Amino acid sequence: MPNSSTTVATIDPPTGSLTIGPSGDDGRGLILLSVVLPTFNESKNIEEMVRRLDHVLRSSFAEAYEIIVVDDNSPDGTGDIAGALTLKYSRLRVIRRQNERGLSSAVIRGWQIARGQLLGAIDADLQHPPEIVVALAEEVQRGADVAVASRHIQGGGVSEWSLRRRVVSRAAHFLGLIILPGVVSRVSDPMSGYFIIRRSAIQGVELRPLGYKILIEVLGRGRCRWIGEVPYVFRERVEGESKVSRKIYLEYLQHLLRLRIATLPLSRLARFAVVGLSGVVVDMGLLFVLSDPSMLGWGLTRSKLIAAELAIVNNFIWNDAWTFRDLSRDQWQFGQRLRRFWKFQIICLAGLLINTVLLNVQFNLFGVNRYVANAIAIAAVTGWNFWLNLKLSWRVAEPQTSQQLRSHEPEP
């Protein structure tokens, strides 16, 4: 319905949780693709962006598309310009938000009123070439759950980025791989804000984005089994000012950490922690027997290595039989169990190396009690051991890209 505070055709934004429902029907016919343009102070770009995007979509989808501009009450009048454009472009709809801010939530609010089975996101500053949207839609129609426009595959790139900007971008990518490897490693360009996703992949899922990186949110919480990628060249902004700031990078870090916590398999992690505690008992008990001056009095490093190795054996037995039992269907086959043990051993030994260094630094350099130092060192490598063992020792099948899945299909 029109917003009474303005004379242009804008729509009141949805409220409540950021959850995508089923597609609606307002009587204007079937919509295949809904593309959302989040805007803030893009008055110099919005008209050209809508013109080019509408031309591309009309040529490929006839009337089965819509463009949704979600403006965060831009002081430069972007919302008014976009609203006026609805008189010229029949497939354009405009939301003006008064009480919310942020690119990611703007995209989701647009998707909430969208009627398409495919939902897209593209920046309004012309740095994302609108012509690529057709290739993205075709990738989804071929079977991908989400198709991402990528700067980092053959045919993609950036136009005139400075060395500093390239380093910052790659550093942000690397940080994502460390904190959220199960999500970030699935695509070559997880920082992309240009993509199309099936509605069914995120329908009914409550999204909780923070900052600008909406793609990481939908990959982290959505049901995205197939991922396709399409190359594109990121273009420099011609009009307007860049929104990139230190705050955006801090929000990106917060978002990664929040998704990391939200996507942890907590019940399995709890079992892993319980088994780890039993290993601590074994480790601590043997360390006391072997190294304490009142007992055998062996050297600390030798005692630690022996104690830790027996704790590793203890932990493997319990994890294989309990923590990862559902991933060990062949657990009674000796050969398979032995392979899992060696993987577990290698991962834990790498953690043990870190553990031993931390123990010696604390005890020899800072005079921390040997048992307190050992407990701190064990806690420091627990996350390392859990994640890598889940991915390698008791490997969970990873979702694949559409290209990988299609490669297994029989030839016609």
Side-chain angles (χ1 to χ4, degrees):
M1 67 188 211
N3 188 322
S4 59
S5 65
T6 64
T7 58
V8 296
T10 61
I11 300 170
D12 289 330
T15 58
S17 68
L18 296 171
T19 304
I20 310 300
S23 59
D25 183 4
D26 64 357
R28 295 200 292 174
L30 175 69
I31 298 297
L32 174 64
L33 173 62
S34 300
V35 180
V36 172
L37 284 76
T39 61
F40 184 75
N41 286 346
E42 294 294 350
S43 61
K44 297 178 180 179
N45 295 311
I46 188 62
E47 185 169 1
E48 176 66 9
M49 183 66 192
V50 170
R51 183 191 69 79
R52 288 174 56 183
L53 183 59
D54 185 77
H55 175 74
V56 169
L57 294 176
R58 188 174 296 276
S59 299
S60 298
F61 298 97
E63 296 292 314
Y65 72 93
E66 62 183 353
I67 301 170
I68 301 171
V69 171
V70 183
D71 183 64
D72 282 355
N73 200 29
S74 300
D76 72 346
T78 302
D80 290 329
I81 296 172
L85 289 172
T86 60
L87 300 175
K88 182 177 181 180
Y89 299 98
S90 62
R91 313 310 296 176
L92 174 64
R93 305 164 74 193
V94 179
I95 294 175
R96 173 174 287 180
R97 303 199 301 172
Q98 302 285 343
N99 302 316
E100 283 185 313
R101 294 288 184 274
L103 183 147
S104 294
S105 63
V107 170
I108 298 170
R109 291 303 187 194
W111 287 346
Q112 286 182 312
I113 71 159
R115 295 172 293 133
Q117 295 303 310
L118 307 182
L119 305 173
I122 180 173
D123 288 353
D125 54 15
L126 296 172
Q127 293 181 306
H128 293 160
E131 294 74 20
I132 301 299
V133 74
V134 175
L136 292 173
E138 290 174 348
E139 187 71 12
V140 176
Q141 290 174 308
R142 281 196 293 266
D145 293 307
V146 59
V148 180
S150 174
R151 298 162 294 179
H152 303 319
I153 59 176
Q154 186 175 3
V158 294
S159 53
E160 298 176 3
W161 275 17
S162 66
L163 176 61
R164 179 181 179 277
R165 191 171 180 185
R166 292 173 189 267
V167 169
V168 169
S169 177
R170 285 300 189 178
H173 189 177
F174 183 68
L175 184 63
L177 288 172
I178 293 174
I179 297 176
L180 201 64
V183 173
V184 175
S185 65
R186 297 183 64 192
V187 288
S188 66
D189 193 357
M191 315 293 285
S192 178
Y194 191 5
F195 61 94
I196 290 177
I197 187 168
R198 290 183 187 275
R199 179 186 289 270
S200 58
I202 52 173
Q203 182 174 319
V205 176
E206 183 177 1
L207 301 171
R208 298 180 180 181
L210 180 64
Y212 276 48
K213 303 308 175 185
I214 178 65
L215 177 60
I216 291 176
E217 178 73 8
V218 299
L219 291 179
R221 299 187 192 272
R223 298 177 289 271
C224 302
R225 183 167 179 243
W226 292 20
I227 299 177
E229 297 190 280
V230 174
Y232 85 106
V233 176
F234 186 89
R235 298 172 180 172
E236 284 301 305
R237 174 186 284 272
V238 177
E239 301 287 352
E241 297 181 357
S242 173
K243 311 297 192 304
V244 177
S245 66
R246 179 178 296 182
K247 178 184 177 183
I248 288 175
Y249 290 113
L250 291 176
E251 288 179 339
Y252 168 67
L253 176 58
Q254 288 178 268
H255 191 192
L256 289 174
L257 293 172
R258 189 158 74 179
L259 264 178
R260 171 71 281 168
I261 294 171
T263 56
L264 278 174
L266 294 179
S267 60
R268 196 186 302 279
L269 177 61
R271 293 195 296 271
F272 188 84
V274 170
V275 170
L277 286 175
S278 75
V280 170
V281 172
V282 173
D283 190 294
M284 289 286 200
L286 285 172
L287 186 66
F288 171 74
V289 170
L290 297 175
S291 71
D292 196 273
S294 65
M295 302 297 286
L296 295 180
W298 291 3
L300 180 63
T301 299
R302 180 173 56 159
S303 300
K304 171 61 185 177
L305 292 173
I306 295 172
E309 177 58 30
L310 291 176
I312 286 173
V313 174
N314 169 85
N315 289 2
F316 173 80
I317 292 171
W318 285 107
N319 278 320
D320 201 53
W322 184 43
T323 307
F324 302 104
R325 182 182 179 88
D326 58 315
L327 304 178
S328 305
R329 297 183 181 89
D330 58 354
Q331 62 179 312
W332 303 115
Q333 297 179 18
F334 178 77
Q336 294 294 332
R337 174 175 281 187
L338 187 61
R339 276 190 285 272
R340 287 196 299 274
F341 173 73
W342 284 117
K343 291 179 182 179
F344 183 81
Q345 175 87 355
I346 291 169
I347 292 168
C348 290
L349 285 176
L352 174 59
L353 178 62
I354 300 172
N355 187 314
T356 304
V357 170
L358 288 174
L359 173 62
N360 277 278
V361 167
Q362 293 176 90
F363 178 76
N364 293 317
L365 295 183
F366 299 105
V368 178
N369 177 275
R370 70 184 68 207
Y371 307 113
V372 173
N374 193 41
I376 293 173
I378 289 171
V381 298
T382 296
W384 159 279
N385 287 343
F386 175 73
W387 177 256
L388 286 185
N389 276 302
L390 178 61
K391 293 300 178 183
L392 299 177
S393 302
W394 293 271
R395 185 176 179 82
V396 181
E398 293 285 354
Q400 294 178 290
T401 66
S402 55
Q403 183 177 5
Q404 289 172 323
L405 287 169
R406 289 200 302 273
S407 70
H408 298 301
E409 294 176 356
E411 294 292 332

